[in-house]
Amino acid sequence: MFKFTVRRLLQMIPVIIGATFLIYWMVFSLPGDPTAGKCGDRPCPDAYVAQFEEEYNLNDPLLVQYGKYMAGVVQGDFGESYYGVPVSEELSERFVVTAKLGLMALGIEAVIGILAGVLAALKKGGFIDNVVLVSTLAVIALPLFVTASVLQLYLGIRWELFPVTVGSDTSFYALLLPAFVLASVSLAYLARLMRTNLSENLGSDYVRTARAKGLPQSRVVGVHTLRNSLIPVVTFLGYDLGALMGGTIVIEGIFNIPGVGNYIYRAINDRDGVVVVGAVTALILVYLFANLVVDLLYGLLDPRISHD
Amino acid sequence: MTDDLKAFEVVDERKGSSRSEGVRSLRADAWHDLRRNPLFWISAALIVLFVVMAIAPGLFTNTSPRETVLSEARTPPSSENWFGRDVQGYDLYARCIYGARASILVGVFAAAGTAIIGTIFGLLAGYASGATDAVVGRVAEIFFALPLILGAVVILTALPPSDEYFVIVFKVVLVFWILGWPTIFRLMRSSVMQVRPNDYVQAARALGGSPWRIVTSHILPNAIAPVIVVSTINLGVYISAEATLSFLGIGLQPPTISWGVMISDALVAMRSAPHVLLFPAAFLSLAVLAFIMLGDAVRDAFDPKSR
């Protein structure tokens, strides 16, 4: 297990360097003006452009630029927003809210997704199976921002069951509807994944053996099959965190939740490139570390992996 | 002599017929299954409809999607304007029809491009293995670390804005290529590695087949099925992602007509004129649904485990 952990950690380093370099390179070296939109509709004055280039070392060779940028990131410096506020300052305030929203969504996704998948797989072709299949397809086909807006209109404005927007009150109740919408698409994928896995495993030899021993259904499914079917689900949850983060940009924008997603949403509208790059880089770093944790967890769930 | 030949023919015919009923090839078997699946026919019909809509919108409507009647803005559906008019007074039916082009273009090009790039690198890494595999694998891992929407947000805010229709569409497609190929690459690589140890590949190599011939005529046809399935599903996913990016204001932008742009315009007026949201959202969802259902149907037909 120790060797596995160390190897996984070492593999992580080139990925982090590569991914951040890729972002940096695409944003600052591709055709396009990094100061575009900073001075309204007019092009920026030369003095401002010179100052901007100086501040972000745009006159250095690419690798030196990137090195200086990463040296900043390691020290928690993600640049400054259009208004002169350090991105890291905003991020540290907003991150708590996004983490809360994300964890709630992840919880909803895991519980409902797994439950729906299990119920569907237990009676393949039955009523619940068909309901799960049809409803998950419908959820996947609708873009997140449509689901969010429609639910906001009906549950928030018309029927007044939930607060319309969240604002400064980030209580559990206020975040419930946004978290549910955020989880919806991933939940649908998860339910389908769980259904396929479980129904495949239910046909395997060890299940037949367990049945032949006379074990009750609850033990065959609950202990033998469920645990094996959960392994791919854990991987999916880690990978899916990236989709959830993308979703927070939309959801926090629509429900006005003061998190990182909202910050990116506004920065896109203000065309504030530095904020977008800084905040997205921070999110991707979190995403990569979360996946590292998932991989290590995976080693615990499935002993075969850590012993090769 | 002639009788003998006839007898041969008869035997051959029998052989042919017994083959088609008894031992079918995987592909014939899959087609046999597909033909019986109503979901396949429904989704195929929907896709044909949307593709025709994208190629020749004039077949469906004579109204111009850019002709606005401001005084009739937000009017609900009527016999004259089947879907009503939107916030700007455009005819919604015409715009839904013309909007198909951008969405279908993005979806088809994004899915086809990622499939091609991913397949090429997957074949390379899976067949060559060793150092090539390690290098390509590491590079793919880096691209794989960027989630679709997050990565797209960064790249699209960096690219300069443009007014050309095809440039606007191409930018979004390009982003999906950059971020989408590693998924297909991983799939193709593992699929190639499953096919490579098979006897017929060894036999082809023993007979002196060149690597090019082995890859193109033995490995590729036998390893491509999962890529086709996932690419079909991804086509729908990309159409939906395009709509999300358009909603954020960095995907397609007006004057481009697309379902995503229409939906994000409609959100402003949702409370007073819900039909403005309903129709483009329905078109978009049906298109996404059609591709996902088609992919599912093909997967079920090809996957022996699900039977």
Side-chain angles (χ1 to χ4, degrees):
Chain A
M1 189 68 208
F2 176 73
K3 242 169 111 182
F4 173 73
T5 312
V6 171
R7 200 180 59 207
R8 201 59 201 80
L9 277 171
L10 288 178
Q11 276 175 352
M12 192 71 185
I13 296 169
V15 173
I16 289 182
I17 295 176
T20 48
F21 178 74
L22 206 64
I23 294 175
Y24 188 84
W25 173 72
M26 286 192 288
V27 170
F28 286 102
S29 306
L30 286 184
D33 180 8
T35 60
K38 289 216 153 211
C39 313
D41 290 331
R42 286 165 294 134
C44 285
D46 292 342
Y48 180 79
V49 174
Q51 193 207 338
F52 185 87
E53 286 180 344
E54 183 59 34
E55 204 179 326
Y56 291 95
N57 310 308
L58 294 187
N59 297 319
D60 295 334
L62 183 63
L63 280 175
V64 178
Q65 277 180 40
Y66 170 72
K68 286 183 179 171
Y69 175 75
M70 272 316 275
V73 166
V74 170
Q75 292 162 26
D77 175 14
F78 287 92
E80 267 182 9
S81 78
Y82 185 42
Y83 306 104
V85 183
V87 173
S88 54
E89 204 173 280
E90 287 269 355
L91 282 183
S92 60
E93 270 173 33
R94 289 164 175 271
F95 195 76
V96 189
V97 180
T98 301
K100 193 171 173 187
L101 178 70
L103 285 177
M104 281 172 69
L106 214 58
I108 294 172
E109 179 188 341
V111 172
I112 302 183
I114 292 175
L115 207 66
V118 170
L119 287 179
L122 283 182
K123 262 213 173 148
K124 222 178 165 189
F127 176 70
I128 298 181
D129 187 25
N130 279 317
V131 169
V132 168
L133 281 182
V134 171
S135 59
T136 48
L137 256 187
V139 170
I140 292 171
L142 271 173
L144 205 56
F145 63 100
V146 174
T147 326
S149 308
V150 170
L151 287 183
Q152 187 186 38
L153 173 67
Y154 282 99
L155 299 181
I157 299 171
R158 295 262 163 90
W159 302 336
E160 297 176 11
L161 294 174
F162 291 95
V164 180
T165 54
V166 174
S168 56
D169 164 39
T170 55
S171 63
F172 178 80
Y173 174 62
L175 287 177
L176 197 58
L177 179 61
F180 186 77
V181 180
L182 181 59
S184 61
V185 176
S186 312
L187 189 160
Y189 279 114
L190 187 73
R192 299 187 132 230
L193 179 74
M194 190 69 208
R195 171 184 176 272
T196 324
N197 276 329
L198 191 63
S199 67
E200 241 169 50
N201 280 340
L202 279 176
S204 58
D205 291 342
Y206 69 86
V207 172
R208 198 169 40 201
T209 312
R211 289 236 160 91
K213 282 196 296 185
L215 294 181
Q217 169 83 348
S218 61
R219 203 169 160 79
V220 173
V221 176
V223 179
H224 291 255
T225 334
L226 200 58
R227 204 177 139 191
N228 277 316
S229 311
L230 275 179
I231 295 173
V233 167
V234 172
T235 323
F236 174 81
L237 283 177
Y239 169 70
D240 188 59
L241 201 64
L244 281 186
M245 284 173 166
T248 56
I249 304 181
V250 174
I251 296 296
E252 292 187 0
I254 290 176
F255 288 100
N256 193 26
I257 302 168
V260 180
N262 191 301
Y263 190 44
I264 298 173
Y265 180 77
R266 290 192 179 178
I268 293 170
N269 285 328
D270 295 348
R271 299 201 66 80
D272 193 338
V274 178
V275 170
V276 173
V277 176
V280 170
T281 308
L283 281 188
I284 287 175
L285 289 180
V286 174
Y287 167 68
L288 289 176
F289 278 112
N291 269 288
L292 182 72
V293 174
V294 166
D295 267 14
L296 298 180
L297 211 77
Y298 199 86
L300 284 179
L301 266 181
D302 189 348
R304 281 169 302 181
I305 290 171
S306 50
H307 289 308
D308 65 354
Chain B
M1 185 70 187
T2 45
D3 278 346
D4 271 9
L5 266 180
K6 262 187 191 158
F8 247 104
E9 272 166 19
V10 170
V11 171
D12 254 354
E13 251 170 40
R14 272 202 205 128
K15 244 188 190 169
S17 68
S18 74
R19 194 177 288 153
S20 68
E21 275 168 22
V23 200
R24 278 189 302 259
S25 74
L26 177 64
R27 215 153 294 175
D29 202 28
W31 173 234
H32 179 84
D33 268 21
L34 267 186
R35 266 186 321 200
R36 266 141 236 261
N37 190 348
L39 277 185
F40 168 73
W41 289 111
I42 296 172
S43 52
L46 276 173
I47 289 170
V48 169
L49 182 71
F50 283 125
V51 169
V52 173
M53 216 182 262
I55 296 171
L59 286 177
F60 295 85
T61 174
N62 291 322
T63 321
S64 160
R66 300 191 190 279
E67 186 190 301
T68 158
V69 184
L70 257 184
S71 58
E72 287 176 23
R74 301 186 189 206
T75 45
S78 65
S79 59
E80 219 152 278
N81 306 107
W82 290 357
F83 291 178
R85 288 187 183 276
D86 75 354
V87 189
Q88 315 265 15
Y90 293 120
D91 182 55
L92 262 178
Y93 174 71
R95 275 180 98 75
C96 279
I97 299 289
Y98 278 85
R101 180 173 293 172
S103 298
I104 298 288
L105 267 183
V106 167
V108 168
F109 278 106
T114 47
I116 292 170
I117 303 172
T119 301
I120 290 175
F121 284 111
L123 281 172
L124 197 70
Y127 187 73
S129 65
T132 323
D133 183 23
V135 171
V136 182
R138 284 293 102 83
V139 174
E141 212 165 55
I142 290 169
F143 281 85
F144 197 70
L146 305 177
L148 186 66
I149 295 292
L150 282 184
V153 163
V154 170
I155 303 172
L156 285 171
T157 36
L159 287 173
S162 156
D163 294 328
E164 284 282 329
Y165 182 83
F166 282 101
V167 177
I168 297 177
V169 171
F170 181 72
K171 274 199 301 189
V172 179
V173 171
L174 181 77
V175 167
F176 290 152
W177 284 351
I178 294 175
L179 300 169
W181 73 272
T183 323
I184 303 293
F185 161 78
R186 288 187 159 193
L187 200 66
M188 191 64 194
R189 179 176 167 275
S190 65
S191 179
V192 168
M193 286 176 37
Q194 270 174 27
V195 170
R196 205 174 50 146
N198 278 337
D199 289 341
Y200 55 85
V201 179
Q202 303 296 340
R205 196 176 293 148
L207 286 170
S210 68
W212 172 255
R213 196 179 152 70
I214 294 174
V215 167
T216 50
S217 60
H218 296 287
I219 293 190
L220 184 63
N222 288 301
I224 196 81
V227 170
I228 292 174
V229 169
V230 171
S231 294
T232 314
I233 295 175
N234 274 355
L235 211 159
V237 173
Y238 288 136
I239 291 179
S240 177
E242 176 269 304
T244 304
L245 292 175
S246 300
F247 163 74
L248 290 174
I250 47 176
L252 306 179
Q253 273 141 48
T256 312
I257 305 168
S258 94
W259 296 327
V261 174
M262 289 173 72
I263 296 172
S264 67
D265 284 348
L267 290 178
V268 194
M270 206 170 62
R271 291 176 69 179
S272 60
H275 68 278
V276 183
L277 175 74
L278 176 72
F279 291 108
F283 271 64
L284 181 87
S285 304
L286 273 181
V288 175
L289 204 63
F291 285 107
I292 293 180
M293 284 195 316
L294 182 70
D296 272 357
V298 175
R299 189 209 315 260
D300 285 348
F302 268 102
D303 186 7
K305 269 193 213 156
S306 67
R307 283 187 211 143

